[in-house]
Amino acid sequence: ETGVTQSPTHLIKTRGQQVTLRCSSQSGHNTVSWYQQALGQGPQFIFQYYREEENGRGNFPPRFSGLQFPNYSSELNVNALELDDSALYLCASSFDRAPPSSGANVLTFGAGSRLTVL
Amino acid sequence: RKEVEQDPGPFNVPEGATVAFNCTYSNSASQSFFWYRQDCRKEPKLLMSVYSSGNEDGRFTAQLNRASQYISLLIRDSKLSDSATYLCVVLWGNTPLVFGKGTRLSVIA
């Protein structure tokens, strides 16, 4: 069983540029959630994709967008990068939209993509 | 008031010590609670769920106090390998997980 993989692991961009981050979900998982973790903060929910449709969105502007593909892999796109977008971007996969409870349907995180915006 | 609040630490404790972290949450409708562990520059990993009756997993004990809206994590006989950031996580309804900022623990030899 393969885990969640993310690419790239590290990247540096400048303000105003665009970035695409990629995530392959764990085998058997059909739901992908994206989180942003700034330095010294906990992960903040960006959005979730279930069967190629957005299924919930956090308090992030429209320049944060995403896609999910038929194989359940996903992309996070950020346009017009700002300095405050510098963070660790975490992808987590789970089975179905059902929320985790009592340890069931646990979110499995990838190692993250560390984005630095200069 | 933040949805999930934790003391950021750092907690610096000697090996073998007992250490406890608290976490408070604002939404009384919260249903599920978890502790995640995050090593430096790594992804969060589930440490344990928190059950209403309290639960134990080896040296780790989690407690839930719904009346006061807080959860706790107790680590006994601390090991150097316990050094990490511990994230309190809360869930209500069909919403995504809400993470606290984390509490940093350093266990010193």
Side-chain angles (χ1 to χ4, degrees):
Chain A
E1 180 180 278
T2 57
V4 178
T5 58
Q6 293 186 242
S7 63
T9 54
H10 297 82
L11 70 167
I12 300 173
K13 293 285 189 176
T14 55
R15 275 186 304 176
Q17 285 189 310
Q18 178 267 343
V19 68
T20 297
L21 308 178
R22 296 178 177 82
C23 171
S24 294
S25 59
Q26 180 170 311
S27 176
H29 285 181
N30 57 14
T31 304
V32 172
S33 303
W34 286 92
Y35 285 80
Q36 180 197 65
Q37 187 175 22
L39 195 64
Q41 304 294 315
Q44 299 292 311
F45 176 72
I46 303 175
F47 42 57
Q48 182 185 80
Y49 278 84
Y50 169 70
R51 294 187 178 180
E52 303 177 60
E53 297 286 332
E54 187 178 289
N55 179 52
R57 187 179 182 92
N59 189 26
F60 281 81
R63 59 190 185 83
F64 285 77
S65 63
L67 283 173
Q68 187 178 33
F69 300 100
N71 66 354
Y72 304 127
S73 66
S74 178
E75 284 183 358
L76 164 65
N77 298 289
V78 187
N79 293 322
L81 284 167
E82 300 176 0
L83 297 179
D84 285 348
D85 295 335
S86 296
L88 177 68
Y89 287 84
L90 295 160
C91 168
S93 73
S94 55
F95 177 69
D96 240 347
R97 294 168 293 180
S101 62
S102 302
N105 198 28
V106 172
L107 282 185
T108 302
F109 284 93
S113 293
R114 190 167 297 278
L115 170 65
T116 301
V117 182
L118 301 176
Chain B
R1 183 180 173 185
K2 298 281 187 186
E3 292 175 303
V4 179
E5 292 202 66
Q6 296 182 250
D7 182 340
F11 284 63
N12 299 314
V13 303
E15 269 186 296
T18 295
V19 62
F21 310 134
N22 284 336
C23 163
T24 58
Y25 59 93
S26 61
N27 190 332
S28 60
S30 298
Q31 297 171 317
S32 301
F33 310 88
F34 310 90
W35 284 101
Y36 273 69
R37 171 194 168 126
Q38 187 171 26
D39 292 299
C40 188
R41 306 184 76 81
K42 300 284 190 180
E43 73 275 22
K45 294 184 179 178
L46 178 67
L47 178 66
M48 60 196 302
S49 302
V50 186
Y51 303 136
S52 294
S53 54
N55 48 299
E56 191 173 303
D57 182 2
R59 297 180 294 108
F60 299 82
T61 300
Q63 296 279 351
L64 167 64
N65 184 320
R66 285 191 184 272
S68 301
Q69 295 182 206
Y70 79 82
I71 67 174
S72 63
L73 177 68
L74 181 79
I75 305 175
R76 290 181 299 279
D77 189 23
S78 298
K79 311 290 185 190
L80 294 176
S81 57
D82 293 334
S83 297
T85 295
Y86 291 84
L87 298 161
C88 172
V89 186
V90 173
L91 175 74
W92 52 86
N94 199 25
T95 60
L97 297 179
V98 179
F99 287 79
K101 290 185 178 182
T103 297
R104 193 152 58 91
L105 171 66
S106 291
V107 181
I108 305 160

